[in-house]
């Protein structure tokens, strides 16, 4: 199957992984809105939130990843977001949950997708995994 995130699960395409368990993996978004922007995805291919058990299957993985991001990055808050369907902004049709750490310097819902300039994704990855 020609699915970008399946290839990340299999390791055929690299990612900056921050968390993994039996059912899910989590890796840094390649184009982060805020430092530590992470995607949590099921290992099995399900296209979106409408698939049975898509969210419940990875709920514990999402919580564990959020706890890791809080511990390592000490953000002031966090957004959890799922886009379901192209009209809602879904671009990759392998179910994923966005976890977006938030910082006082760039607050509020209106700034959620306002990309902070100059995010060094490798440096953020080292802070989480190092
Ligand atoms: P969505 O719009 O909810 O489908 O989100 C897809 C997300 O995947 C976007 O935030 C992209 O920046 C992110 N993305 C696309 N390709 C990659 C990749 N190879 N590694 C990490 N994140 C990616």
């Amino acid at each position: 199957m020609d699915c970008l995130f399946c290839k990340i699960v299999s390791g055929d395409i690299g990612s900056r992984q921050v968390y993994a368990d039996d059912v899910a993996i989590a890796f840094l978004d390649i184009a982060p809105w805020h430092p530590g922007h992470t995607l949590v995805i099921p290992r099995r291919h399900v296209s979106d939130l409408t698939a049975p058990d898509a969210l419940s299957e990875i709920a514990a993985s999402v919580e564990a990843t959020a706890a890791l991001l809080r511990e390592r990055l000490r953000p002031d808050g966090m957004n959890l977001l799922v886009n379901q369907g192209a009209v809602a902004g879904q671009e990759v049709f392998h179910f994923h949950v966005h976890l977006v750490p938030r910082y006082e310097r760039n607050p509020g819902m209106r700034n959620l997708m306002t990309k902070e300039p100059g995010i060094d994704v490798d440096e953020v990855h080292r802070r989480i995994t190092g």
Side-chain angles (χ1 to χ4, degrees), residues 4-5 27-31 39 83 89-92 96 98:
L4 172 64
F5 285 179
F27 52 91
L28 294 182
D29 196 292
I30 202 165
L39 304 176
N83 300 325
Q90 185 173 7
E91 293 177 348
V92 178
H96 53 279
H98 295 254

Side-chain angles (χ1 to χ4, degrees), residues 18-21 24-28 35-41 58-81 97-103 128:
V18 297
Y19 175 84
D21 61 29
I25 68 168
F27 52 91
L28 294 182
H37 181 176
T38 296
L39 304 176
V40 188
I41 73 171
I58 66 165
S61 316
V62 172
E63 289 177 357
T65 305
L68 175 69
L69 295 175
R70 278 198 300 271
E71 181 196 325
R72 297 299 173 95
L73 301 180
R74 302 281 173 201
D76 302 303
M78 198 174 294
N79 291 104
L80 183 155
L81 175 72
V97 172
H98 295 254
L99 281 174
V100 188
R102 299 298 301 275
Y103 305 89
I128 298 169

Side-chain angles (χ1 to χ4, degrees), residues 10 14-15 19-20 39 42 46 98 114 116 124:
S10 69
S15 72
Y19 175 84
L39 304 176
V46 294
H98 295 254
T114 307
E116 264 188 39
V124 174

Side-chain angles (χ1 to χ4, degrees), residues 16 28 35-36 73 118-130:
R16 295 177 183 86
L28 294 182
L73 301 180
I119 298 172
D120 182 339
V121 188
D122 287 321
E123 187 269 335
V124 174
H125 188 234
R126 282 193 295 276
R127 280 164 60 201
I128 298 169
T129 59

